Amino acid sequence: MLPRLNLKCLLLASAFSLAGMVAHAETLRVAIGYDPISLDPIATSDNGSIWTQLLIFDTLIRPDKTGEGLEPGLAESWTVSDDGLTLNFKLRDAKFSDGTPVTAADVQFSIERAASEASGWGRFYRPITSFEIISDREITMKLAEPFTPAFNNLALFAAAILPKAQVEAKGDAFFDAPVGSGPFMLTSRVRGSRVNLAKNPHYWQQGKPFVDEAVLEVVTEPSARVIKLEAGEVDVALDPPLNQLKELDAKDGISVGQTIPYRADFVQLNTTRKPFDDERVRLALNHAVDKNALVQGVLFGAGKPAASAMPVMAYADQNLAPYDYDLAKAKQLLAEAGYADGFEAQLVVDSGAATSRNAAIALQAMLQQVGVKLKIQMLEGGTQWETTKAGNYDMSVSYTTSDTIDPDQIIGFVAVNPERANAYHTEWKSDRLNALYVEERKTVNGDARGAMFKEMIQILHDGAPYIFLYHPASAWAVQDKVKGFEILPTSNFRLEDVQIEN
């Protein structure tokens, strides 16, 4: 047992800040709806993994908070040659969370790893054909031919800078306890339950993170996240049910926020299966869905109808209108395709996504009006992803978000075939769109490249391999003591900027 005097001193030390040092640890508790699949930046494409990785690792550059420009990350400055073939980066004096310095050798290793055959994102980095390490804090990258997205792609999570020596020594085991130069470091992880993070004492942004610890608590049901927030068990609840936002905002001690990020929600249509191989059927389904009703009934007004599977971002065609709600036209198109009496199909849905579940129920009722009978199959999120990826589906409620500010990443994902996702597992294909994709990648930013994107988006709209639904708001709810939390246009969040006021 401690002597009485010592115990009193300990209690005082825990209650007061001495000489500017906070004696108690501040922990930010965030309820999330996903379980990160992997912490290896080149091995995943699910948002849960991406957003977690961005708290642990740094990239050379990153999107700014407006989503319209790029800002310094590990690179404090850079130059790009007029022909776009030479990129030079000067690194800031940064360290990994174990105290070892970040060097140009780490940068070369990480980008080459991102470009390797083992990488799911290799096509973004293979145009970089050579590196020159000028010093520990300066590196030059060269391209053999123009590739306009090259610079922007270095802001993508897959280009996270890793400690070369440790990854080479540990292999895949490195990602069980990764070391990065980001604002936080992993202390423990329980799959399906939580991710525990601690402040990186060597983080290059002076004074950040403001909190000592962050806990990402996996709570798949949106209403359960709200209950935890109201009970004071978490400080932040991501994606609360949209129909509860006003009620939550009116509660003492709780505030809500929302933004429409670079996101589009839609129904994937498997064009390798009948009747979805017929463009007339796909157009009919788009005309049979009342997008405005979905925005009001499913999103409670927190969103906008979609005309495309592309987010509204750089080079978007602001004049492209969603398909009009026209049951007569939908029935006519179905009849022309030989489905005057409609057809039956299965719609797979992420069982943990309340908004998707509600959208599926609404779609079932809407399509019934044109004779299309949907059987809804609820699957766990990871299972739904693997099911659609394998092509074992008719229709699937899904969405996409952009991790960068250049639309090249997303147009390649949702519209290009062959590509990594083959038009996001719809297997739809447009030779003209594919040709434009190749061309835009070697065209400098400006009106000409913008016109190519607009044409690609129009082709995607006309081919309709998806039922385009809406661009939903991303919402969050926080305890009033939490300051500075927000979701960015790229859909991730920066916990290093969050403070807790006691």
Side-chain angles (χ1 to χ4, degrees):
M1 177 178 270
L2 287 170
R4 189 176 185 88
L5 179 61
N6 287 350
L7 178 58
K8 183 178 181 181
C9 289
L10 286 172
L11 291 171
L12 286 171
S14 67
F16 296 100
S17 175
L18 301 176
M21 299 296 291
V22 178
H24 67 282
E26 283 190 321
T27 300
L28 178 67
R29 303 159 301 169
V30 183
I32 60 178
Y34 50 81
D35 184 27
I37 293 173
S38 171
L39 297 181
D40 184 347
I42 69 168
T44 50
S45 56
D46 65 292
N47 282 332
S49 296
I50 293 168
W51 300 335
T52 305
Q53 290 164 17
L54 290 172
L55 298 173
I56 299 171
F57 303 114
D58 263 325
T59 47
L60 289 172
I61 51 177
R62 64 182 188 176
D64 64 24
K65 288 189 175 183
T66 70
E68 298 176 359
L70 296 169
E71 65 183 20
L74 284 175
E76 62 183 4
S77 64
W78 56 81
T79 58
V80 179
S81 63
D82 291 341
D83 60 10
L85 300 181
T86 302
L87 315 176
N88 176 268
F89 296 91
K90 289 184 171 64
L91 307 182
R92 66 177 72 252
D93 184 11
K95 295 179 179 179
F96 293 107
S97 59
D98 65 352
T100 57
V102 178
T103 69
D106 297 312
V107 172
Q108 178 175 346
F109 167 80
S110 300
I111 304 305
E112 287 180 335
R113 185 174 184 272
S116 71
E117 293 299 325
S119 171
W121 302 87
R123 68 201 184 285
F124 286 86
Y125 304 103
R126 290 184 192 120
I128 299 173
T129 54
S130 66
F131 298 81
E132 180 184 0
I133 294 178
I134 298 170
S135 69
D136 278 350
R137 290 175 55 187
E138 185 174 358
I139 187 170
T140 294
M141 307 177 193
K142 291 187 178 292
L143 290 77
E145 59 186 18
F147 183 67
T148 302
F151 180 72
N152 177 81
N153 289 347
L154 293 171
L156 189 64
F157 64 93
I161 306 306
L162 313 173
K164 174 183 177 182
Q166 292 198 43
V167 178
E168 287 182 332
K170 298 177 181 178
D172 290 343
F174 169 83
F175 297 100
D176 294 332
V179 172
S181 61
F184 292 91
M185 53 187 183
L186 182 73
T187 55
S188 65
R189 179 183 175 203
V190 181
R191 292 184 183 274
S193 178
R194 69 184 60 237
V195 177
N196 292 316
L197 304 168
K199 178 178 182 175
N200 175 2
H202 303 287
Y203 187 45
W204 55 267
Q205 287 203 62
Q206 193 94 23
K208 294 185 180 181
F210 294 114
V211 297
D212 301 295
E213 299 172 336
V215 177
L216 306 180
E217 185 172 342
V218 180
V219 183
T220 55
E221 180 55 48
S223 294
R225 296 197 287 274
V226 170
I227 291 171
K228 281 183 168 289
L229 181 73
E230 292 176 324
E233 296 175 11
V234 297
D235 304 302
V236 180
L238 295 183
D239 295 317
L242 294 173
N243 64 335
Q244 296 184 30
L245 291 184
K246 288 183 180 179
E247 180 184 347
L248 270 174
D249 206 24
K251 289 182 180 288
D252 288 340
I254 292 178
S255 301
V256 303
Q258 60 177 285
T259 187
I260 298 181
Y262 296 153
R263 170 171 170 159
D265 286 42
F266 42 75
V267 176
Q268 295 162 280
L269 303 174
N270 188 344
T271 66
T272 67
R273 293 185 177 182
K274 291 184 178 300
F276 309 108
D277 59 336
D278 192 316
E279 183 178 292
R280 293 168 296 184
V281 170
R282 302 195 300 269
L283 294 174
L285 296 177
N286 272 282
H287 283 296
V289 172
D290 188 342
K291 276 85 168 177
N292 287 308
L294 286 178
V295 168
Q296 295 305 316
V298 175
L299 301 183
F300 299 91
K304 299 177 181 178
S308 172
M310 286 290 292
V312 180
M313 55 189 305
Y315 299 136
D317 186 351
Q318 303 292 343
N319 296 317
L320 184 65
Y323 281 96
D324 57 319
Y325 178 51
D326 190 333
L327 291 178
K329 192 169 188 177
K331 290 177 180 177
Q332 178 188 343
L333 286 165
L334 286 174
E336 290 175 3
Y339 298 95
D341 297 325
F343 58 87
E344 295 183 0
Q346 188 171 71
L347 177 67
V348 296
V349 185
D350 179 354
S351 59
T355 300
S356 294
R357 293 198 308 262
N358 293 336
I361 293 168
L363 289 167
Q364 186 180 46
M366 289 177 181
L367 295 182
Q368 177 74 40
Q369 297 180 90
V370 295
V372 177
K373 301 176 181 65
L374 294 185
K375 179 182 179 182
I376 298 174
Q377 182 183 17
M378 299 288 182
L379 299 175
E380 181 275 328
T383 303
Q384 185 211 19
W385 170 263
E386 293 300 330
T387 298
T388 55
K389 185 177 180 180
N392 297 326
Y393 76 101
D394 294 333
M395 306 165 67
S396 181
V397 180
S398 192
Y399 73 97
T400 190
T401 57
S402 181
D403 305 293
T404 67
I405 64 172
D406 190 298
D408 175 82
Q409 176 204 0
I410 295 300
I411 197 76
F413 190 66
V414 301
V416 180
N417 182 11
E419 249 283 16
R420 186 177 64 89
N422 293 346
Y424 203 4
H425 315 308
T426 65
E427 297 298 335
W428 173 80
K429 183 177 181 180
S430 163
D431 290 335
R432 172 60 179 165
L433 190 148
N434 287 353
L436 285 165
Y437 180 62
V438 172
E439 194 64 26
E440 65 85 1
R441 300 187 119 195
K442 57 186 179 183
T443 303
V444 296
N445 277 313
D447 291 344
R449 189 169 184 244
M452 293 175 193
F453 275 107
K454 287 182 174 63
E455 184 178 349
M456 284 190 283
I457 293 168
Q458 183 71 57
I459 292 169
L460 179 65
H461 171 87
D462 295 345
Y466 308 88
I467 303 175
F468 309 119
L469 300 180
Y470 39 65
H471 303 291
S474 286
W476 62 92
V478 301
Q479 304 284 350
D480 279 347
K481 65 181 180 179
V482 174
K483 306 298 180 183
F485 182 88
E486 62 180 330
I487 292 176
L488 304 180
T490 44
S491 293
N492 62 304
F493 42 85
R494 295 180 181 167
L495 297 186
E496 66 267 30
D497 294 334
V498 180
Q499 301 183 62
I500 298 177
E501 292 185 353
N502 293 310

